Amino acid sequence: MTYFPEEVVEHIFSFLPLHSDRNTVSLVCRVWYEVERLSRRAVFVGNCYAVRPERLVQRFPNVRTLTVKGKPHFADFNLVPPDWGGYAGPWIDAAARSCMGLEELRMKRMVVLDENLELLARSFPRFKALVLISCEGFSTDGLAAIASHCKLLRELDLQENDVDDHGPRWLSCFPDSCTSLVSLNFACIKGEVNPGALERLVARSPNLRSLRLNRSVSVDTLSKILVRTPNLEDLGTGNLTDESESYLRLSSALEKCKMLRSLSGFWDASPICVPFIYPLCHHLTGLNLSYTPTLDYSDLTKMISRCVKLQRLWVLDCISDKGLQVVASSCKDLQELRVFPSDFYVAGYSVVTEEGLVAISSGCPKLSSLLYFCHQMTNEALITVAKNCPNFIRFRLCILEPKKPDAITNQPLDEGFGAIVRECKGLRRLSISGLLTDKVFMDIGKYGKQLEMLSIAFAGDSDKGMMHVMNGCKNLRKLEIRDSPFSDVALLGNVAKYETMRSLWMSGCNVTLKGCQVLATKMPMLNVEIMNELDESSEMEENHGDPSRVDKLYVYRTTAGARNDAPDFVKIL
Amino acid sequence: MSTSSANSTASPAVSGLDYDDTALTLALPGSSSSSSSDPAASDRKRAHAEHDKPPSPKARAVGWPPVRAYRRNALRDEAAKLVKVAVDGAPYLRKVDLAAHDGYAPLLRALHAMFASCLVANGAGRLVDAATGAEYVPTYEDRDGDWMLVGDVPFKMFVESCKRIRLMKSSEADNLAPRTSSQ
């Protein structure tokens, strides 16, 4: 291959779609490393502290799409204290200095400030797409900067961010010359937007394919907008609470959107709105009703029973087992199902149980991705589900009451989850719950050969449990554990493994400061971060008063060394 | 069944508290709540009872269940006050956001719309079963666990104390407020 001119080598590399493949070819020789790095267009950084931003942009100066992820996953559930880190600033600063051609920036679980967005808006003349997921730290002023200065903006996608609302001005900052929008998602913006500005923006965006509105947008405004977007493929509605006259206008506007395949929003949706959605149902492949507690089982099933092409369904558990049976008999193409709890009381009334899941599994053989919150489960049900759906790639089951056994036999759920890992040979992501002993981990280690991410809560008896996973799961990248009896023995049982993984999170376990220090000493390529609660009054009943016990441990491989932006409560060993 | 005027008498509710006249009363003298011979009602009662069990100590774990803060906040809108609404004889519950309505009249209109498939408003503005003509009165359970007639207290007080609503057959709502014989 060294006989080929570099342009040919570069061209060959362009056929490698996966980051991992490009990473591999860059290791072959110096020439290939150089060719690869200069032609790399997309870089994915799974942990923002695994590499220094300056180093990354120096290596890949021509990068066009940069994806960076910050806080550990359990930050979603308030397990990571605020101000832990995950700052976007250094990344945007570094890119602004070295990567003039940047076109797309995607960030997840990071702290993004308005000044970062302002720098972003001014630094990249060809900037086209900003995707922020579960981020925080910025306000609508930062969005105003993006709108004002990114002349070629195609995509502004804000998913579930915590954004400070400084008024509706930002939307009016898109200049009249901005006609390039393809995707606009501001569902997470809390405040009002100017309906007129929104309508005008949509009217001058002929390429708009995806539009997700926030709660403040009325049915009337939605109707006016939809008249302008006959090519819309993905719609997130505003609120659907109005009186029924508005719905007639909405209905005729929706009729024009023949390309609509995906629906979400339905904020505060009144049951009145349901029949007006019927004409769309037949074509829908995606439906997200998980923010709509005001629609009950009957409304939901009337809609869903018409959605015969549905591939992705997100819904609240008020759909009930009966409703899931309707899904099972109507949605034969279903690939992804998420059933969220509408009531966060752990000991509440069972609306969704193992029966609903079994029904889905037998009616929807293509199911490959599941997130299911329920009050009870049985081994028998899980075994049946595993047989019916061997194609699971993602299987996340959350039984709301920690350590709850099989609802009928009172046994641990080891058998059931064991069946899942055994039958689903392509399983990449697994979350387990309920009463579980070390046995389930034996099965996970034995059969979970493709498993990349495992989430454990209130499970296991002894260190053997964690050891089975560490030794058996060859492709494990992320392991997150809470409130399980794993100690230093398990932590230190296979230290080399951590260099093959992105990260380990352990909270509420039995690891001690000493154990963490040993780990840090043995493995200099890891950052071992420990966090102890400063406030002793919170959940400290579990703590046996042992001051050396570590509350929260976050271990990750890194080439960057200890980070210099850690707050006081984080100790890096 | 007698009709009551818009201004009720200042009759005490069953809990013994004295409330002022309210703007709107759909109250009727009532008997005890539904008999156990109605399986749907007793199912709902069981459901309600189980729902009201205090959360077990295990429920207090931080960050459990694992639901994103964004989603929790979106469903638990601070301003919203969602309460369950049951109708005697209907097989399932609905929910209404009390905070979304300015007063009893819009709330009752919303309730009417919610159950429009089985209840209609008759000439006197009361909710009646479309099939049987039986009248329904809205009742609610307050913070103390007492069942009261909707409309007996100022609206804001009602919103604060209401835990759930039940549209009861008026024949069964008789004993919720002792009424004078003039009715």
Side-chain angles (χ1 to χ4, degrees):
Chain A
M1 278 286 271
T2 44
Y3 306 119
F4 289 138
E6 287 179 9
E7 304 83 62
V8 175
V9 176
E10 178 183 321
H11 184 66
I12 295 172
F13 288 172
S14 70
F15 291 99
L16 297 172
L18 298 177
H19 296 291
S20 49
D21 290 336
R22 289 195 74 116
N23 293 344
T24 306
V25 301
S26 68
L27 295 172
V28 168
C29 64
R30 188 101 226 136
V31 173
W32 280 29
Y33 178 87
E34 284 298 305
V35 171
E36 196 284 316
R37 79 176 186 91
L38 293 171
S39 60
R40 181 86 80 118
R41 296 281 177 257
V43 176
F44 171 81
V45 180
N47 174 3
C48 65
Y49 291 120
V51 57
R52 284 199 192 283
E54 307 79 41
R55 168 125 172 72
L56 188 116
V57 300
Q58 270 159 29
R59 179 175 168 188
F60 302 113
N62 300 317
V63 68
R64 301 226 180 114
T65 301
L66 178 61
T67 306
V68 188
K69 295 170 89 170
K71 300 182 203 173
H73 174 235
F74 273 179
D76 283 353
F77 317 129
N78 297 335
L79 287 178
V80 176
D83 301 329
W84 171 83
Y87 300 105
W91 290 90
I92 296 177
D93 289 345
R97 271 180 260 121
S98 311
C99 305
M100 298 309 293
L102 190 70
E103 294 180 9
E104 296 183 20
L105 182 65
R106 292 155 199 277
M107 297 195 138
K108 187 169 184 179
R109 278 188 217 103
M110 298 197 66
V111 177
V112 183
L113 306 177
D114 284 342
E115 61 205 58
N116 305 145
L117 293 176
E118 275 152 32
L119 181 62
L120 176 69
R122 292 178 197 278
S123 304
F124 307 104
R126 291 207 294 270
F127 195 75
K128 295 197 175 75
L130 178 64
V131 179
L132 298 176
I133 304 174
S134 296
C135 295
E136 55 170 350
F138 61 103
S139 77
T140 48
D141 291 343
L143 300 179
I146 298 285
S148 305
H149 302 292
C150 299
K151 310 242 178 289
L152 300 176
L153 196 68
R154 287 213 288 245
E155 189 178 341
L156 179 61
D157 186 1
L158 306 168
Q159 297 179 30
E160 302 195 343
N161 302 291
D162 185 10
V163 186
D164 278 341
D165 187 66
H166 290 180
R169 173 184 79 91
W170 68 277
L171 194 65
S172 308
C173 288
F174 284 102
D176 290 340
S177 53
C178 174
T179 58
S180 46
L181 276 179
V182 173
S183 168
L184 176 63
N185 173 4
F186 63 91
C188 64
I189 300 300
K190 294 170 203 146
E192 310 251 315
V193 292
N194 183 316
L198 178 60
E199 288 165 43
R200 286 188 297 277
L201 178 61
V202 169
R204 63 179 187 274
S205 304
N207 299 319
L208 202 61
R209 295 288 173 271
S210 168
L211 179 64
R212 297 193 183 188
L213 310 169
N214 77 351
R215 226 168 185 150
S216 77
V217 178
S218 68
V219 175
D220 254 356
T221 306
L222 177 60
S223 306
K224 291 188 193 146
I225 287 172
L226 288 176
V227 171
R228 307 286 201 166
T229 58
N231 294 325
L232 204 63
E233 293 166 13
D234 166 53
L235 173 67
T237 71
N239 69 71
L240 296 179
T241 55
D242 286 6
E243 303 290 323
S244 29
E245 306 123 37
S246 319
Y247 282 100
L248 296 171
R249 257 169 279 145
L250 177 65
S251 191
S252 57
L254 280 172
E255 255 171 52
K256 301 198 168 60
C257 298
K258 305 252 182 262
M259 306 295 294
L260 213 45
R261 297 288 173 269
S262 167
L263 272 188
S264 60
F266 288 88
W267 304 104
D268 312 310
S270 154
I272 304 172
C273 78
V274 169
F276 296 97
I277 309 292
Y278 289 165
L280 292 178
C281 291
H282 185 78
H283 298 292
L284 289 181
T285 57
L287 184 58
N288 182 353
L289 298 168
S290 65
Y291 287 103
T292 315
T294 41
L295 292 181
D296 68 2
Y297 143 81
S298 130
D299 306 313
L300 294 170
T301 49
K302 279 189 208 135
M303 214 191 297
I304 295 172
S305 58
R306 292 169 152 84
C307 298
V308 293
K309 296 209 184 105
L310 211 57
Q311 294 172 16
R312 186 176 43 85
L313 175 64
W314 291 22
V315 81
L316 287 171
D317 62 1
C318 27
I319 193 171
S320 81
D321 285 337
K322 271 202 294 183
L324 290 174
Q325 274 157 17
V326 173
V327 175
S329 56
S330 314
C331 308
K332 295 303 182 189
D333 284 341
L334 199 67
Q335 293 168 23
E336 177 182 329
L337 174 67
R338 297 195 192 191
V339 180
F340 292 96
S342 49
D343 173 1
F344 305 120
Y345 268 155
V346 161
Y349 177 50
S350 278
V351 276
V352 145
T353 70
E354 74 277 10
E355 288 180 17
L357 184 58
V358 169
I360 290 283
S361 73
S362 72
C364 309
K366 293 188 192 170
L367 198 63
S368 62
S369 176
L370 179 78
L371 172 60
Y372 197 80
F373 285 83
C374 58
H375 285 92
Q376 64 180 57
M377 187 50 56
T378 65
N379 282 310
E380 188 183 346
L382 285 173
I383 292 168
T384 307
V385 168
K387 286 215 182 68
N388 289 340
C389 291
N391 297 320
F392 274 119
I393 295 175
R394 284 176 287 275
F395 189 90
R396 292 191 281 165
L397 180 67
C398 180
I399 301 162
L400 288 163
E401 188 182 319
K403 299 197 194 170
K404 187 160 184 183
D406 181 313
I408 295 178
T409 66
N410 250 357
Q411 293 301 300
L413 289 169
D414 301 331
E415 253 192 278
F417 280 104
I420 294 285
V421 288
R422 201 173 44 246
E423 302 291 333
C424 304
K425 309 217 184 320
L427 196 67
R428 294 209 295 257
R429 183 170 180 185
L430 178 66
S431 298
I432 56 179
S433 57
L435 182 65
L436 294 162
T437 72
D438 286 346
K439 272 177 60 195
V440 73
F441 297 112
M442 225 163 43
D443 280 335
I444 292 175
K446 184 170 175 195
Y447 297 106
K449 295 308 177 190
Q450 300 301 318
L451 203 61
E452 294 176 3
M453 183 168 177
L454 179 62
S455 308
I456 300 169
F458 307 100
D461 305 316
S462 78
D463 289 315
K464 290 208 190 86
M466 186 171 159
M467 290 310 309
H468 286 308
V469 171
M470 291 289 285
N471 294 336
C473 297
K474 300 273 167 258
N475 282 303
L476 195 65
R477 289 200 279 121
K478 287 182 281 183
L479 180 58
E480 47 185 27
I481 306 172
R482 65 165 292 175
D483 298 285
S484 300
F486 306 134
S487 73
D488 296 337
V489 171
L491 180 68
L492 299 170
N494 184 354
V495 294
K497 177 87 175 157
Y498 298 120
E499 268 191 354
T500 68
M501 291 167 55
R502 185 185 299 173
S503 64
L504 166 74
W505 169 279
M506 291 178 78
S507 58
C509 301
N510 296 336
V511 292
T512 70
L513 180 57
K514 187 120 186 283
C516 295
Q517 279 165 338
V518 170
L519 178 61
T521 311
K522 280 192 177 178
M523 303 292 292
M525 294 292 276
L526 304 178
N527 274 357
V528 179
E529 294 194 9
I530 62 178
M531 290 164 260
N532 281 331
E533 297 293 332
L534 299 171
D535 173 15
E536 307 237 315
S537 60
S538 58
E539 336 86 49
M540 285 314 239
E541 322 93 56
E542 306 287 326
N543 188 347
H544 308 297
D546 177 3
S548 74
R549 200 169 143 277
V550 164
D551 282 333
K552 296 174 205 236
L553 167 67
Y554 186 48
V555 179
Y556 53 91
R557 67 180 177 190
T558 179
T559 60
R563 59 184 175 110
N564 57 8
D565 61 2
D568 291 334
F569 58 80
V570 172
K571 207 162 141 188
I572 305 180
L573 304 175
Chain B
M1 291 172 299
S2 54
T3 55
S4 61
S5 65
N7 297 318
S8 70
T9 59
S11 51
V14 66
S15 58
L17 297 167
D18 257 293
Y19 290 123
D20 295 335
D21 288 6
T22 58
L24 182 70
T25 304
L26 298 176
L28 283 170
S31 58
S32 64
S33 40
S34 72
S35 64
S36 53
S37 62
D38 180 355
S42 58
D43 276 353
R44 277 198 305 282
K45 271 206 172 115
R46 179 169 53 78
H48 289 155
E50 286 183 34
H51 183 74
D52 289 341
K53 251 193 289 202
S56 70
K58 289 180 204 168
R60 290 300 174 207
V62 167
W64 191 266
V67 174
R68 268 191 194 161
Y70 174 84
R71 181 173 289 279
R72 276 186 201 255
N73 295 338
L75 286 180
R76 284 260 190 91
D77 193 346
E78 302 295 288
K81 180 133 191 220
L82 281 176
V83 297
K84 292 186 179 171
V85 184
V87 172
D88 285 354
Y92 39 79
L93 307 173
R94 290 190 181 274
K95 287 185 189 154
V96 69
D97 179 358
L98 296 181
H101 303 280
D102 293 336
Y104 282 119
L107 173 64
L108 290 165
R109 276 200 296 272
L111 289 178
H112 168 212
M114 234 174 245
F115 292 95
S117 54
C118 47
L119 299 179
V120 297
N122 70 3
R126 295 184 191 289
L127 295 173
V128 297
D129 187 309
T132 68
E135 266 194 50
Y136 283 77
V137 289
T139 65
Y140 73 102
E141 183 181 344
D142 73 2
R143 260 202 282 256
D144 304 322
D146 299 314
W147 283 91
M148 322 272 276
L149 293 165
V150 168
D152 274 354
V153 306
F155 187 75
K156 284 227 156 19
M157 195 184 296
F158 159 75
V159 170
E160 265 165 276
S161 62
C162 171
K163 275 174 29 186
R164 56 189 150 150
I165 292 177
R166 186 170 148 209
L167 296 182
M168 229 184 253
K169 290 213 183 78
S170 60
S171 51
E172 284 154 3
D174 280 353
N175 78 337
L176 284 189
R179 288 285 161 179
T180 65
S181 56
S182 64
Q183 299 196 317

